[in-house]
Each structure stands twice: as C-alpha cells, then as structure tokens.
Amino acid sequence: MLADRGVRLEEATALISKALEQEPGNGAYLDSLGWAYYKQNKLAEAEEFLKKAVDRNGDDPTILGHLGDVYAKMGRMQRAEALWEKALAEWQKALPADYEADKVSELDQRLKDLKKRVAQKPAPENSSQPQ
C-alpha cells in the first residue's frame, strides 16, 4: 500500500523484501517490489522484479500494466504498448467482481495517448543527400 501511494518508499521496499525472503516466488510480492522501485525511479530494478512477477502471474493485468509503465518510462514504447494491450485483454477476461473499471479506463487512455504520439511522430529524414 505504501508503494501504491508513493510514500515511505524505502520502508516499503524493506518490508516487501522481507516478505519475499519468506515467499520468494510470490508474484504479488514481486510486483509490489518492482512497483516500489518504479516509484523510486530505479527502473532496472523495477524491470527485473516485474519480469519475474509476469513469469509467475503472466495473466495478471495489473502486473502487465506495471511492466508496461516501466518500459514506457524507459522509452521502450513498443514493449509498453504490447504489455498494455495484453493487460487490457486480460481485464476483459476478468470476473465482474475483479474488474476495476478505473484502472481499465486509465490504462486504455495511456494506450490511446501512446498510439497518438507514435502516429504524430514525423518520419525520419533520409540522411543521404544526392551530391
């Protein structure tokens, strides 16, 4: 919860690390630690733990979205787009009790914004000029 709110992040990281010592394969803990690192702008560490979380819980839309966020912040937009699309597809499969409309709406908007930015990006100029 601390990591989600972006407060006391070092404490959150320490607590989640202790939990992972007890359950090293827990996908939710791996996701939480990755997200805490993301909030601290430690993107390499965030990627490492979120990739492990996806390996454990590859159909969890929240985890997929988190890893997509990391890639977007790293400038790896194609990877971010693919993960966000997969996350949206997983949200559509969710049971009604598990469906979080606000998260789906936010994710959908990020994906639309990304696609819009990519579409508006000017084509690279051909650097070879005839002489």
Side-chain angles (χ1 to χ4, degrees):
M1 291 175 65
L2 295 173
D4 263 350
R5 293 193 330 245
V7 297
R8 298 176 13 216
L9 292 170
E10 290 189 22
E11 179 183 355
T13 302
L15 291 168
I16 299 163
S17 294
K18 284 183 183 181
L20 270 170
E21 288 174 14
Q22 299 299 313
E23 294 183 53
N26 186 307
Y29 295 166
L30 291 164
D31 173 60
S32 294
L33 187 56
W35 195 240
Y37 282 132
Y38 171 83
K39 293 284 191 162
Q40 295 174 68
N41 207 35
K42 296 179 179 179
L43 300 180
E45 293 89 340
E47 179 187 21
E48 175 188 345
F49 284 96
L50 289 167
K51 283 172 71 174
K52 289 177 184 178
V54 167
D55 287 344
R56 299 270 190 244
N57 300 71
D59 59 351
D60 184 306
T62 299
I63 297 171
L64 292 166
H66 284 168
L67 185 55
D69 291 346
V70 168
Y71 286 134
K73 202 168 190 180
M74 293 174 132
R76 297 163 75 180
M77 298 310 186
Q78 287 181 325
R79 287 187 180 208
E81 180 180 358
L83 285 160
W84 288 343
E85 286 179 345
K86 185 173 180 184
L88 282 174
E90 292 299 333
W91 276 119
Q92 298 310 315
K93 297 179 196 175
L95 297 172
D98 296 333
Y99 188 85
E100 296 181 50
D102 56 333
K103 285 186 179 183
V104 173
S105 177
E106 183 182 318
L107 183 59
D108 186 50
Q109 189 59 53
R110 279 196 309 256
L111 188 56
K112 285 178 182 174
D113 291 345
L114 173 64
K115 288 181 178 186
K116 186 177 178 180
R117 281 193 312 268
V118 169
Q120 291 176 346
K121 194 175 190 181
E125 297 279 331
N126 188 348
S127 61
S128 59
Q129 301 280 332
Q131 297 192 6

